């Protein structure tokens, strides 16, 4: 189940209200808040959502006005989330340490999910998942070759 709100210009107030209501949702796996004029005012509600919701696996936040501080809040929240395997972020987020932390959490969650499905990650270097971040396309995520056991 997906909640696709990208490009609807819901703004901070709309996102904050939705975050509050989605905290206990157990069915939505994909949340698209891209292109919604979100700012740092949405940082805490987004972080709370990511911390408490246990069904989300993909979150789209690209093309918003989020800051490095927002990304740090998101990274902190993801530490207690073992489900999110993909998150897109605005190209304006440039703090490499935070980006790498978010990537590491998503990679760990992805590996855990694949193991539960009987799959494993294969990459060029032993057991290491490669980071792919293309600012020009507002894309943040991993691409890996999968192999069944």
């Amino acid at each position: 189940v997906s909640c696709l709100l990208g490009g609807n210009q819901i703004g901070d107030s709309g996102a904050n209200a939705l975050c509050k209501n989605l905290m206990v949702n157990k069915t939505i796996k994909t949340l698209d808040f891209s292109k919604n004029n979100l700012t740092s005012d949405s940082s805490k509600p987004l972080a709370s959502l990511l911390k408490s919701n246990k069904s989300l696996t993909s979150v789209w936040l690209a093309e918003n006005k989020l800051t490095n501080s927002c990304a740090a809040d998101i990274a902190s929240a993801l530490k207690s989330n073992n489900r999110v395997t993909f998150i897109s972020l605005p190209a304006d987020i440039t703090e490499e340490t935070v980006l790498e932390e978010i990537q590491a959490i998503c990679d760990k969650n992805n590996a855990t999910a694949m193991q539960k499905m009987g799959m494993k990650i294969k990459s060029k270097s032993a057991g290491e998942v490669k980071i792919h971040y293309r600012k020009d396309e507002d894309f943040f995520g991993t691409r890996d070759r999968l192999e069944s056991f």
Side-chain angles (χ1 to χ4, degrees):
V1 177
S2 300
C3 181
L4 305 175
L5 299 170
N8 282 297
Q9 305 304 317
I10 61 173
D12 292 320
S13 61
N16 295 350
L18 284 163
C19 285
K20 183 177 180 182
N21 289 303
L22 291 173
M23 281 187 202
V24 294
N25 183 285
K26 295 180 181 173
T27 57
I28 293 177
K29 298 198 179 303
T30 300
L31 177 62
D32 182 358
F33 273 177
S34 61
K35 300 180 186 178
N36 273 298
N37 285 326
L38 304 186
T39 69
S40 58
D41 290 341
S42 292
S43 179
K44 298 297 182 201
L46 284 168
S48 293
L49 172 63
L50 293 172
K51 190 172 186 176
S52 63
N53 184 289
K54 302 303 179 198
S55 65
L56 285 174
T57 58
S58 300
V59 181
W60 297 81
L61 299 171
E63 297 186 52
N64 282 297
K65 299 170 185 167
L66 302 176
T67 63
N68 286 321
S69 175
C70 296
D73 289 342
I74 289 168
S76 180
L78 286 174
K79 289 178 185 175
S80 62
N81 181 309
N82 63 357
R83 302 278 298 170
V84 174
T85 58
F86 175 87
I87 188 163
S88 71
L89 295 168
D92 294 342
I93 297 177
T94 58
E95 181 60 48
E96 288 296 325
T97 306
V98 174
L99 291 171
E100 289 172 3
E101 183 177 10
I102 291 170
Q103 184 67 56
I105 293 166
C106 289
D107 289 347
K108 177 182 68 76
N109 293 349
N110 194 32
T112 301
M114 287 191 295
Q115 287 173 348
K116 287 179 182 177
M117 295 185 310
M119 303 173 93
K120 63 182 178 181
I121 296 174
K122 242 190 164 186
S123 67
K124 292 179 183 175
S125 57
E128 184 179 315
V129 178
K130 298 295 182 186
I131 295 173
H132 296 275
Y133 179 61
R134 298 190 312 242
K135 291 183 182 181
D136 57 324
E137 294 180 17
D138 273 316
F139 178 82
F140 186 75
T142 60
R143 292 188 181 166
D144 305 300
R145 292 177 285 146
L146 305 178
E147 180 180 291
S148 296
F149 282 119

